[in-house]
Amino acid sequence: MASASLSIAFTGSGGAGVMTAGQMLLAAAGRAGHYGLMTRSMGPQIRGGESAAFLRLARHPVGAPDDRIDLLVAIDWENVTRFLAELPMDAGGLILADPAQGAVPEGLVAHGPTVGDLPLKETAKSIDGGRANMVALGAAAGIAGIDRAAVDAVVNRALGRKGEAALTAARAAIEAGFAQAREHENGHALAPPETAPAEGTRWNVSGNEATGLGALAGGVRFVAAYPITPATDVLEYLAPRLEKLGGNLVQAEDELASINMVLGAGYGGVPALTATAGPGFALMTEGIGLGIATETPAVVVDVMRGGPSTGIPTKSEQADLDIALSGMHGDAPHVVVAPNAIADCRATTEWAVRLAEALQVPTVVLSDQFMGQARAVLDAPGAAPDVPARRTAAPDDAGTYRRFAVTGDFVSPMALPGTPNGMYTADGLEHDASGAPSTLPEVHAEQLHKRRRKLEVFDYGAFWADVEGDGPAAIITWGSVTGAVREAADRLRADGHAVRVISLRLLLPAQPERLAAALEGVDRVLVVEQTEGAQFHRYLRAWYDLPADVRCLNRPGPLALRPGEIADALKEGAAP
Amino acid sequence: MTAPDTRTVTREAKHYKSDVKPVWCPGCGDFAVLTAITKALAQMGIAQEDTAVVTGIGCAARLPGYLNVYGLHGIHGRALPAATGLKLARPELTVLAAGGDGDGFSIGGNHFLHACRRNVDLVYIVMDNEVYGMTKGQASPTTEPDWSESRLTPQGPGVEPFHPLSLALISGANWIGRAFTGDPQTLTHMLVEAVNHPGLAFLHVLSPCVTYRPEQKDWKKTVRREAFTPTEDPVEAQRVLETDDGFNAGVLYHGRRPVYAPAPEATAGMADLDREFVL
């Protein structure tokens, strides 16, 4: 029987080429018309150490890893015990391992998967220039039933530059892998795609790339940033492309410089962005406060990783929510948005740039390592909804221009440097409508109120959240966990349970009226998030009215929340 | 974005002053810097709207409010990064960063090194009075080790002071000079030269604090005018600094180090970027 979805893991020590094999298999599956998702797990080592590529290939779009692994191809067993929790194998699973690498670790076979020999090293050795990871790629592709021509096309594209000898060796290794797969076929082949996708409608993209693309689509032409895992990929994507678009990326001396450079550019009228992770975000909070006080547009992308402090830099968590919402000193209203899928990283980051510009406010984008560093074959991502452009001023010489004048919608036209008669000082000191420093209580109250109200009265439209399904039970979630929640809901619906999914894209300013409308008829809520301290649950409690029956499924990273456990949690909460 | 060409206009120094009354103490050296900036800008005919002054925190950092140009009064120590972002985003503007010795050499010390190294076309003016004035008289990175007037360091800071000119030179600043607020005419001339020189120009201004360092009133006797002979040779400049006691004024160094490049012209559009991801 052919499967609608197939989960494959490649494991091996760093340098064994598991990421390359994984990426090629994903691309090949995409060419064959399948959807796919590849996440990665790495140790902290610069070179070497353990690594694993997790793929899920399917005939439907894939937003989350499955509950179990169907096929594990082990190039070696180096440090694999550190991944055991990420490798749920059961009696339906198949492990293909090189006998030369020793016995399969006990923890993997505990639940009875079939184990087969795959003499990767020996096979690779028999081919001039052959590599074990290419044999593994061939074997996995063979078992998944991926068309050989699709694999060859990907290999040609990836290795074409390395010359004919490298290509020949790779093709021979893949052929050997395909041949060995035939000995282990066990019904894991993917069902063929329902229809072949139209030319140009599918993308192969990572979350961090989609974030970078969204930034550029929103108009960002200046970036200043300091390298940090797992946000560096966003910057590596942006640097050459900003150059092509006539923009600029500065590698700053630290995150304090990054955010202040961004504010300088934003003050100058150029949409500007920085990308970082938790430790860098913590350093930027004072600067974000300056942007709030001076009403300067700026976008800060935080690709979250395990925290606090250095935490687990290479693994995912949603625990920067608290600092993103509340990390600034003083009353500091700002905007926080969060993409909820790889494809959505594009539109949500674009939206963030446009909101920052329209509302003259620092806007935080909370992505995470899971989504940022995952790569997917997906339907071409959409764009952000329309948002008005930054409101600028061109004052006459009457001398009446007031930069921070309180207007009907509390957004004041901003004179950009170079504009005659518009000179003002953007001041981190409390200031009056003209920008002059002031300690008067009425001025402070007026400007604080203005900065809060301009965010509250703005109409964010339907993009504030994704609300899907109907029924008296709802799952409220945010960020990358949404993928697993959506799949859990699909399974529940298939079992006859009505369930609503509400994934918040706009976290600040909170939208209590919109959530109340989305919750109409709901008497039971499950909150799902990847934190130890239930930060999202507490945020919901602070800002929103919820039904009496609220449960929370929360767990810290790096273990992914899986669809099955989410569905179980919702069913457990049901009245008997 | 409005991107006007830099206009050359006839203006007077007073056009560059705002009507906000400075918080500075009567007799503060910073008044002379304020006046020198207005005179230098008027002399060069740079329009008010094409000028931006960016500062951090401290007495000296209050400067933008007293000028009728675009200003960014930011956070402590970060004037140079903010000025860098503005200048790179809007290369046609004249951008001056300014502040005091605590802002520039203590909390902002790392940015000072890297701004000199990066060599963006900026002027950085540090009004050095060897004390924190705004927080009421604590030792700064340029205070003598035995200065015992602060309750925070009653025995004196006990640490040798920074030598800002040496730091600027070894870090890569492209123009380095020292001026004294007691010689406002030379200060104005040096400002003009600093603005006109490509790359990062570091102008170290001895600017007495009459309140917490009243003994600095004697600087008018100690400062040696035109003591430096300008050189293009960093090795020669380094040699001169070996015997510098901090009271030699003049242009020390004007170099030809490469200036950090502004944004290149666009060669692609968004559609080209989308195509990269299509299977």
Side-chain angles (χ1 to χ4, degrees):
Chain A
M1 198 187 79
S3 348
S5 155
L6 183 66
S7 293
I8 302 169
F10 291 101
T11 65
S13 49
V18 301
M19 297 308 166
T20 305
Q23 283 175 16
M24 286 184 171
L25 183 59
L26 178 72
R31 278 183 176 260
H34 301 290
Y35 290 96
L37 173 72
M38 176 181 146
T39 61
R40 49 177 74 197
S41 199
M42 279 160 296
Q45 296 81 357
I46 307 306
R47 289 192 78 88
E50 70 277 16
S51 61
F54 303 100
L55 282 92
R56 188 175 179 201
L57 309 175
R59 63 194 308 186
H60 52 76
V62 184
D66 204 345
D67 301 330
R68 49 190 290 284
I69 305 278
D70 297 294
L71 171 65
L72 167 62
V73 181
I75 294 174
D76 60 58
W77 295 120
E78 194 84 30
N79 293 318
V80 78
T81 47
R82 293 188 203 167
F83 291 127
L84 282 186
E86 295 173 62
L87 291 167
M89 301 284 308
D90 59 23
L94 171 65
I95 297 176
L96 293 183
D98 193 339
Q101 299 290 337
V104 180
E106 270 180 37
L108 279 173
V109 290
H111 298 102
T114 308
V115 178
D117 285 348
L118 193 63
L120 292 167
K121 212 169 175 181
E122 194 188 303
T123 311
K125 239 182 188 168
S126 70
I127 297 160
D128 188 22
R131 293 203 45 178
N133 69 327
M134 291 297 106
V135 183
L137 167 63
I143 285 175
I146 308 279
D147 184 29
R148 178 68 200 277
V151 181
D152 281 347
V154 167
V155 170
N156 287 345
R157 193 167 161 180
L159 301 178
R161 278 178 308 153
K162 293 199 174 174
E164 199 49 47
L167 262 177
T168 308
R171 283 201 209 103
I174 288 163
E175 174 56 39
F178 263 92
Q180 290 178 11
R182 278 174 218 125
E183 296 165 26
H184 299 288
E185 277 176 68
N186 66 345
H188 277 124
L190 270 168
E194 285 166 42
T195 51
E199 187 70 27
T201 57
R202 296 263 171 95
W203 284 25
N204 181 340
V205 67
S206 77
N208 278 343
E209 288 169 344
T211 296
L213 180 68
L216 299 174
V220 165
R221 293 297 179 269
F222 181 86
V223 172
Y226 188 76
I228 186 166
T229 303
T232 311
D233 319 337
V234 178
L235 309 171
E236 288 176 345
Y237 169 79
L238 283 169
R241 287 157 187 94
L242 272 166
E243 214 173 286
K244 283 184 194 164
L245 295 174
N248 214 319
L249 182 141
V250 183
Q251 183 177 329
E253 55 270 30
D254 55 31
E255 286 89 350
L256 306 167
S258 306
I259 184 66
N260 283 281
M261 286 180 183
V262 162
L263 292 171
Y267 170 78
V270 174
L273 170 144
T274 184
T276 188
F281 188 85
L283 285 175
M284 290 181 187
T285 52
E286 189 193 15
I288 295 171
L290 174 65
I292 293 167
T294 57
E295 304 197 44
T296 304
V299 178
V300 180
V301 174
D302 176 359
V303 185
M304 295 181 288
R305 64 192 218 185
S309 190
T310 311
I312 311 180
T314 53
K315 306 216 175 190
S316 203
E317 201 162 70
Q318 293 184 305
D320 291 351
L321 178 64
D322 275 350
I323 192 175
L325 296 171
S326 317
M328 274 53 78
H329 64 276
D331 277 325
H334 58 289
V335 176
V336 180
V337 298
N340 62 19
I342 291 173
D344 189 47
C345 287
R346 185 201 183 282
T348 295
T349 309
E350 180 185 1
W351 197 44
V353 179
R354 298 194 188 284
L355 291 175
E357 290 287 312
L359 297 168
Q360 302 178 16
V361 72
T363 296
V364 179
V365 180
L366 287 178
S367 179
D368 63 35
Q369 184 275 335
F370 174 83
M371 189 158 53
Q373 296 196 316
R375 176 167 286 286
V377 172
L378 39 72
D379 293 319
D386 285 341
V387 174
R390 188 189 310 197
R391 203 177 302 166
T392 54
D396 60 22
D397 59 4
T400 53
Y401 173 64
R402 294 185 311 150
R403 163 68 183 98
F404 302 101
V406 179
T407 62
D409 63 3
F410 304 96
V411 175
S412 329
M414 182 172 182
L416 304 181
T419 310
N421 309 312
M423 288 80 73
Y424 75 100
T425 293
D427 207 320
L429 284 167
E430 187 57 280
H431 42 261
D432 65 18
S434 75
S438 172
T439 57
L440 293 175
E442 62 271 25
V443 169
H444 187 45
E446 175 197 81
Q447 292 292 315
L448 285 172
H449 181 255
K450 164 199 197 299
R451 295 194 290 257
R452 176 166 58 84
R453 289 295 290 156
K454 71 175 175 179
L455 306 186
E456 288 176 353
V457 303
F458 184 79
D459 182 0
Y460 297 88
F463 208 53
W464 76 282
D466 287 338
V467 183
E468 296 149 2
D470 219 322
I475 306 176
I476 308 181
T477 191
W478 74 287
S480 70
V481 172
T482 304
V485 168
R486 282 185 167 131
E487 183 161 344
D490 284 342
R491 292 187 196 175
L492 287 162
R493 289 176 198 129
D495 282 351
H497 304 278
V499 59
R500 211 174 290 196
V501 171
I502 303 169
S503 174
L504 269 59
R505 186 177 281 108
L506 178 65
L507 298 165
L508 267 192
Q511 303 290 304
E513 287 169 24
R514 286 196 157 99
L515 188 67
L519 283 173
E520 211 175 283
V522 169
D523 57 23
R524 193 158 66 84
V525 164
L526 177 70
V527 177
V528 182
E529 61 174 305
Q530 197 177 27
T531 66
E532 201 276 335
Q535 295 184 16
F536 183 61
H537 184 200
R538 285 188 283 104
Y539 153 82
L540 291 172
R541 291 283 188 197
W543 285 101
Y544 302 92
D545 284 332
L546 300 175
D549 184 355
V550 178
R551 285 157 191 264
C552 185
L553 172 61
N554 61 296
R555 182 170 67 215
L559 280 187
L561 283 147
R562 295 187 187 259
E565 59 183 320
I566 296 169
D568 289 347
L570 194 82
K571 278 190 277 190
E572 274 166 29
Chain B
M1 190 179 90
T2 53
D5 296 322
T6 300
R7 279 157 292 228
T8 306
V9 287
T10 310
R11 304 201 191 213
E12 294 170 47
K14 64 180 182 192
H15 293 141
Y16 295 85
K17 256 192 184 131
S18 80
D19 48 16
V20 178
K21 188 179 173 292
V23 293
W24 299 327
C25 311
C28 174
D30 295 353
F31 284 104
V33 176
L34 172 62
T35 302
I37 289 173
T38 63
K39 285 186 172 167
L41 290 171
Q43 194 181 318
M44 287 182 284
I46 301 171
Q48 293 106 307
E49 63 266 25
D50 294 335
T51 308
V53 175
V54 182
T55 60
I57 294 295
C59 297
R62 287 288 193 127
L63 189 65
Y66 312 142
L67 287 161
N68 184 27
V69 299
Y70 281 91
L72 176 53
H73 181 203
I75 50 181
H76 202 14
R78 319 295 166 217
L80 280 167
T84 298
L86 176 56
K87 180 68 184 180
L88 293 176
R90 297 289 306 278
E92 75 281 16
L93 299 172
T94 297
V95 180
L96 313 179
D101 37 305
D103 191 60
F105 307 141
S106 189
I107 190 168
N110 192 34
H111 307 308
F112 179 54
L113 303 182
H114 289 278
C116 292
R117 180 172 79 96
R118 195 172 283 120
N119 202 24
V120 171
D121 189 17
L122 297 169
V123 177
Y124 184 40
I125 306 162
V126 173
M127 290 157 253
D128 190 349
N129 54 14
E130 303 173 358
V131 74
Y132 285 80
M134 191 150 270
T135 50
K136 318 285 184 226
Q138 296 80 29
S140 91
T142 51
T143 304
E144 310 87 303
D146 58 352
W147 182 73
S148 55
E149 297 299 310
S150 167
R151 277 182 284 175
L152 201 55
T153 51
Q155 312 299 322
V159 183
E160 285 302 314
F162 261 151
H163 198 300
L165 272 61
S166 296
L167 282 175
L169 184 67
I170 60 165
S171 303
N174 209 29
W175 184 99
I176 298 167
R178 185 186 282 132
F180 173 46
T181 55
D183 179 7
Q185 223 173 346
T186 309
L187 174 59
T188 305
H189 291 324
M190 288 178 76
L191 258 172
V192 171
E193 192 177 327
V195 171
N196 287 332
H197 196 85
L200 189 117
F202 170 53
L203 180 56
H204 185 223
V205 184
L206 300 173
S207 180
C209 176
V210 293
T211 301
Y212 297 106
R213 304 296 307 263
E215 71 278 16
Q216 289 174 347
K217 286 177 192 159
D218 288 344
W219 277 0
K220 57 181 175 288
K221 291 178 217 149
T222 18
V223 172
R224 291 177 286 276
R225 297 179 185 192
E226 291 181 57
F228 292 137
T229 308
T231 175
E232 287 186 13
D233 177 6
V235 178
E236 170 62 12
Q238 189 65 56
R239 198 190 58 72
V240 169
L241 288 178
E242 277 167 21
T243 54
D244 175 47
D245 62 355
F247 291 107
N248 295 311
V251 178
L252 172 74
Y253 172 74
H254 51 155
R256 299 178 184 183
R257 289 164 165 168
V259 175
Y260 191 84
E265 294 296 311
T267 57
M270 283 309 299
D272 302 311
L273 301 191
D274 279 356
R275 270 197 289 279
E276 289 179 39
F277 297 114
V278 174
L279 262 180

